[in-house]
Amino acid sequence: MYQLPEEHEELRAAVRALAEKEIAPHAAEVDEQERYPSEAAAALTAAGFNAIHIPEAYSGQGADAVAACIVIEEVARVDASASLIPAVNKLGTQPILLSASEELKKLVLPSIATGEASASYALSEREAGSDTASMRTRAQLDGDHWVLNGTKCWITNAGESSWYTVMAVTDPNAEKKARGISAFVVHKDDPGFSVGPKEKKLGIKGSPTREIYFENCTIPENRIIGEPGTGLKTALATLDHTRPTIGAQALGIAQGALDAAVEYVKDRKQFGQSISQFQGVQFMLADMAMKIEAARHMVYASAAATERGDKRASFLASAAKTYASDVAMEVTTDAVQLFGGAGYTRDFPVERMMRDAKITQIYEGTNQIQRMVMARHLLKG
């Protein structure tokens, strides 16, 4: 039978109940004050939803990729900023899970599984966004330590996280730039590491985005992830695993906006009747729901494909992320329209959802880059 197993639906019900009770009441204030959603962090950690993907061998729950998407989706339905807690824990730890030594896994993963610590991912730089191979951050081996110098930008939850997965150039003379990049794990207490001020953003204001700085930042030699020169390969493989989670975040935002719109149009009266009785409104709701349902199947299918190592996983991850984020932008914009003037105010959640949705089309690879990735797969056959 083509449906989610019972345990996934039970997980959804549990996360939704927690999100409604512990996260939703603070969402507007978190956005307004641009503060970290500490209530959400505490609730997710207490329930074990902060990093559900970490294997049991490292004190985690070992949940599959679809389960991780469901957690992110259900949290994003009430607060996109809070959904970045489980999402970025996965992003920050996925390179470790894919390529790190057993010793490094045991050092980092248990503290994240238990919620004592959290992780961030540091790939982008101001002049190396979509063109990741042009990064300038350097790491040099000095005896039994690596010394890092440079700046990373757009780091989600920087300043809140304890661990940072960082890509840096270790061989500037490599014939192919991509093969001169290595991956490392940096701790916030490592000498020479610091974080910058918060970016002033359109949306997801509860999730701090900062630059991070390495000034002769010194880390032990064993904090390299995999072999030198394999960092970019690991980074790109990571994104195949995490792009479905951005699709899940977009999906949750869209579902939250649709739910709010349905409730509003049933209550709102014009011309002596509920506006839900007007065909124009009904068609808008039907289109919103149809696209969300299509996006949901794409997100889950892509997460499952990545998990089983399907050779189409990279294409499907890009497709799911692109489609779901485009749907989220469309649905939230329509939700604001359905609320009329009220939708344009901060008295209702849909304007926040519309602002939050925009970033899902941009981060973890813009949707233009995703379309290039998909086309490349098609042309390769």
Side-chain angles (χ1 to χ4, degrees):
M1 187 68 77
Y2 175 60
Q3 64 182 57
L4 286 179
E6 200 176 325
E7 60 264 29
H8 283 92
E9 294 299 357
E10 287 169 358
L11 173 67
R12 182 192 304 284
V15 181
R16 181 168 293 197
L18 176 131
E20 292 282 0
K21 186 180 175 208
E22 308 283 354
I23 300 174
H26 307 286
E29 182 197 307
V30 160
D31 177 69
E32 196 76 38
Q33 295 180 4
E34 302 194 18
R35 68 168 179 82
Y36 187 67
S38 50
E39 299 89 352
L44 289 166
T45 299
F49 297 145
N50 57 304
I52 200 170
H53 69 287
I54 292 178
E56 291 175 9
Y58 309 105
S59 309
Q61 296 185 49
D64 61 61
V66 176
C69 282
I70 288 170
V71 171
I72 293 160
E73 175 191 349
E74 287 300 327
V75 177
R77 183 176 158 271
V78 301
D79 184 4
S81 292
S83 74
L84 284 164
I85 295 167
V88 178
N89 272 336
K90 177 156 184 173
L91 178 61
T93 56
Q94 194 65 47
I96 299 168
L97 287 164
L98 288 173
S99 305
S101 66
E102 194 59 32
E103 179 187 15
L104 195 50
K105 287 176 181 174
K106 284 177 176 165
L107 174 70
V108 178
L109 298 176
S111 64
I112 294 165
T114 59
E116 289 168 55
S118 55
S120 287
Y121 181 81
L123 175 63
S124 295
E125 298 179 9
R126 295 277 173 195
E127 300 304 318
S130 297
D131 181 13
T132 49
S134 294
M135 67 178 68
R136 294 175 184 169
T137 298
R138 296 278 189 267
Q140 282 186 301
L141 190 58
D142 181 12
D144 60 354
H145 285 76
W146 289 96
V147 180
L148 280 73
N149 281 285
T151 301
K152 294 288 181 179
C153 69
W154 314 122
I155 310 306
T156 305
N157 289 349
E160 294 293 335
S161 290
S162 307
W163 294 103
Y164 296 81
T165 298
V166 181
M167 311 301 154
V169 176
T170 46
D171 181 4
N173 302 314
E175 199 174 323
K176 288 193 172 176
K177 286 192 290 187
R179 290 185 185 157
I181 294 166
S182 304
F184 300 90
V185 179
V186 177
H187 191 269
K188 66 181 171 89
D189 295 335
D190 288 331
F193 174 83
S194 60
V195 300
K198 280 202 297 188
E199 302 285 355
K200 296 169 182 171
K201 298 179 304 189
L202 173 73
I204 56 163
K205 293 182 180 183
S207 174
T209 305
R210 293 181 166 99
E211 287 188 332
I212 57 175
Y213 309 119
F214 308 94
E215 297 168 272
N216 290 324
C217 176
T218 307
I219 62 170
E221 186 180 4
N222 64 2
R223 294 256 210 92
I224 189 168
I225 298 173
E227 294 298 314
T230 62
L232 198 58
K233 188 180 175 189
T234 295
L236 298 178
T238 291
L239 296 175
D240 287 346
H241 286 264
T242 58
R243 280 175 177 151
T245 68
I246 300 304
Q249 183 190 39
L251 179 57
I253 295 168
Q255 186 67 59
L258 175 63
D259 293 348
V262 167
E263 285 305 306
Y264 186 80
V265 300
K266 286 197 285 193
D267 289 342
R268 172 87 169 140
K269 297 208 167 31
Q270 290 288 280
F271 306 103
Q273 62 178 322
S274 161
I275 65 168
S276 64
Q277 297 305 304
F278 297 123
Q279 192 180 60
V281 168
Q282 291 179 354
F283 281 10
M284 282 178 78
L285 292 172
D287 282 343
M288 291 157 79
M290 174 175 66
K291 287 168 186 169
I292 289 170
E293 200 56 38
R296 182 169 287 116
H297 289 282
M298 285 185 77
V299 167
Y300 296 170
S302 71
T306 307
E307 178 124 324
R308 68 173 178 266
D310 190 309
K311 63 179 187 289
R312 294 181 68 228
S314 187
F315 173 89
L316 292 170
S318 288
K321 188 266 187 193
T322 303
Y323 186 75
S325 59
D326 284 350
V327 163
M329 199 66 241
E330 206 176 312
V331 165
T332 54
T333 304
D334 283 348
V336 170
Q337 190 74 18
L338 286 167
F339 271 74
Y344 205 69
T345 71
R346 294 206 293 271
D347 297 333
F348 294 93
V350 288
E351 67 83 33
R352 181 184 83 239
M353 292 167 171
M354 182 178 167
R355 287 185 287 106
D356 289 345
K358 185 64 212 171
I359 191 61
T360 64
Q361 295 180 305
I362 297 171
Y363 61 13
E364 288 209 28
T366 65
N367 285 4
Q368 287 70 27
I369 287 288
Q370 304 307 326
R371 288 178 167 91
M372 287 169 66
V373 170
M374 287 186 271
R376 203 171 292 147
H377 278 274
L378 291 172
L379 294 168
K380 269 185 188 170

